[in-house]
Amino acid sequence: MSNFTSISTFLLWEFSEQRKLQILHFFLFLAMYLTTIMGNLLIIAAVALDHHLHTPMYFFLTNLAMVDIGSVSVIIPKSMVNSLMNSRSISYSGCVAQVFFYLFFAASDIFFLTVMAHDRSVAICNPLQYETIMHRGACIRMAAIVWIYSMLYSMLHTCGTFANTFCSNTVNQFFCEIPKLLNLSCSDFYLVEVGLVLLSCVIALGCFIFIIITYMQIFSTVLRIPSVHGQKKALSTCLPHLTVVSILIFSAVIANARPPTNASSALDIAFSVMYTVIPPMLNPFIYSMRNKDIKIALLKLLDHASKTV
């Protein structure tokens, strides 16, 4: 392979060479993008406008909704533009930005889900100390720590990835993804980023183990509640979060279950869409359908909007 010391553009994987299928891909991604944006904006607006929802759980839910909006906005618009313009290219700086912001929002997603599990644990296992532990200042500090750590995490990975020399500019993915970019490396420096990726997997696994242990404690406490109504009420605040975490774990397992290859297939791209686009799109529906307070707030918001129109 020839050594490209300076690459100005990368070529992304295209969904189809047929123009009709490219247009179909554009409209499918447009529908998913608008659904994700509108759903998460409704969650943010409902929480902001209803003072009953100004609690730690919904504060973190608002942050999670912002993360979902950001994660799809990093990937989908560029893919849509490429399909519409019959193009595969993304600039070098655009690829760097895509890697940075995708990792930033991906890390924030996992960290916020972990913090939300802690919030539910305190609320159910230590209800008398909940306001003392999860006070406004503590919640703001936890959110700030998540955003800062995610930014540092993303900067570390982005620098480690693009410090490599690339021997090709053809990325076998519809967005700039670190494993696919490392396949293009022709220097030994990629081993540093591989080590960072493995460290990230350990951190993510640690977060998931923490969530699992937390829910074991929650279920143990719920089972000791004497009334069935009390048990259902306690679990109703946990089920949306647990469902979101389960979808994230399932999509991550699906994405990594296939053996790595240098070439991409339609099935590989389908799996990529499953773990990058589907979870942020489903999250607002999960929280609105499984959470009575959110459902009531959304109905009030929509009713107010219809009256003003």
Side-chain angles (χ1 to χ4, degrees):
M1 291 185 295
S2 58
N3 186 2
F4 292 106
T5 56
S6 60
I7 293 177
S8 59
T9 60
F10 288 96
L11 299 179
L12 301 176
W13 194 89
E14 59 182 353
F15 283 82
S16 176
E17 295 180 355
Q18 300 181 27
R19 189 58 182 159
K20 290 182 179 179
L21 293 179
Q22 290 176 346
I23 299 299
L24 176 63
H25 158 249
F26 170 81
F27 282 109
L28 284 175
F29 263 34
L30 178 63
M32 288 191 288
Y33 184 64
L34 292 178
T35 301
T36 304
I37 296 297
M38 292 303 298
N40 284 286
L41 284 178
L42 281 174
I43 293 292
I44 294 172
V47 173
L49 298 176
D50 193 331
H51 69 278
H52 295 101
L53 301 183
H54 293 176
T55 62
M57 180 175 73
Y58 296 109
F59 169 73
F60 293 124
L61 178 59
T62 300
N63 280 268
L64 187 66
M66 290 189 291
V67 168
D68 289 338
I69 291 174
S71 63
V72 295
S73 298
V74 170
I75 296 173
I76 293 184
K78 179 58 180 176
S79 183
M80 289 167 52
V81 169
N82 279 358
S83 291
L84 194 62
M85 303 300 293
N86 192 21
S87 173
R88 296 176 55 195
S89 65
I90 182 172
S91 65
Y92 186 91
S93 58
C95 190
V96 173
Q98 199 171 67
V99 168
F100 174 82
F101 285 107
Y102 176 71
L103 289 176
F104 172 65
F105 290 118
S108 300
D109 191 20
I110 296 174
F111 293 152
F112 271 120
L113 288 174
T114 306
V115 171
M116 291 170 76
H118 171 68
D119 170 72
R120 290 299 82 208
S121 175
V122 176
I124 295 174
C125 301
N126 299 289
L128 298 179
Q129 300 179 5
Y130 182 69
E131 292 186 1
T132 303
I133 298 174
M134 300 300 294
H135 57 85
R136 180 181 177 85
C139 293
I140 293 175
R141 281 196 298 271
M142 282 188 279
I145 289 172
V146 167
W147 290 114
I148 292 171
Y149 276 18
S150 298
M151 181 173 292
L152 294 175
Y153 168 89
S154 181
M155 288 176 60
L156 183 65
H157 275 288
T158 305
C159 293
T161 300
F162 289 94
N164 286 280
T165 301
F166 299 106
C167 297
S168 173
N169 67 339
T170 303
V171 182
N172 291 313
Q173 181 60 284
F174 73 96
F175 67 99
C176 287
E177 188 179 40
I178 286 182
K180 300 297 184 181
L181 288 170
L182 292 182
N183 287 338
L184 310 179
S185 174
C186 51
S187 64
D188 292 335
F189 193 79
Y190 84 96
L191 294 173
V192 175
E193 178 57 24
V194 169
L196 292 175
V197 170
L198 293 176
L199 177 62
S200 301
C201 293
V202 173
I203 294 174
L205 182 61
C207 289
F208 288 134
I209 291 174
F210 175 83
I211 293 173
I212 291 171
I213 294 175
T214 298
Y215 270 102
M216 290 174 63
Q217 296 173 344
I218 289 174
F219 290 144
S220 176
T221 302
V222 169
L223 290 175
R224 292 198 297 268
I225 298 176
S227 66
V228 176
H229 175 72
Q231 292 179 350
K232 290 182 178 179
K233 185 177 180 181
L235 287 176
S236 66
T237 63
C238 298
L239 287 178
H241 175 264
L242 188 59
T243 304
V244 169
V245 172
S246 300
I247 291 175
L248 182 63
I249 294 175
F250 175 76
S251 60
V253 170
I254 290 295
N256 294 283
R258 293 174 59 82
T261 58
N262 291 328
S264 286
S265 64
L267 190 59
D268 293 324
I269 301 302
F271 283 143
S272 299
V273 173
M274 184 180 295
Y275 72 82
T276 57
V277 180
I278 300 301
M281 184 176 66
L282 292 181
N283 288 352
F285 295 99
I286 294 170
Y287 275 99
S288 60
M289 288 188 298
R290 305 290 301 186
N291 189 297
K292 184 179 179 181
D293 294 333
I294 287 289
K295 194 180 298 184
I296 293 173
L298 286 173
L299 289 175
K300 288 181 180 179
L301 179 63
L302 295 174
D303 182 61
H304 177 72
S306 62
K307 289 180 179 179
T308 56
V309 174

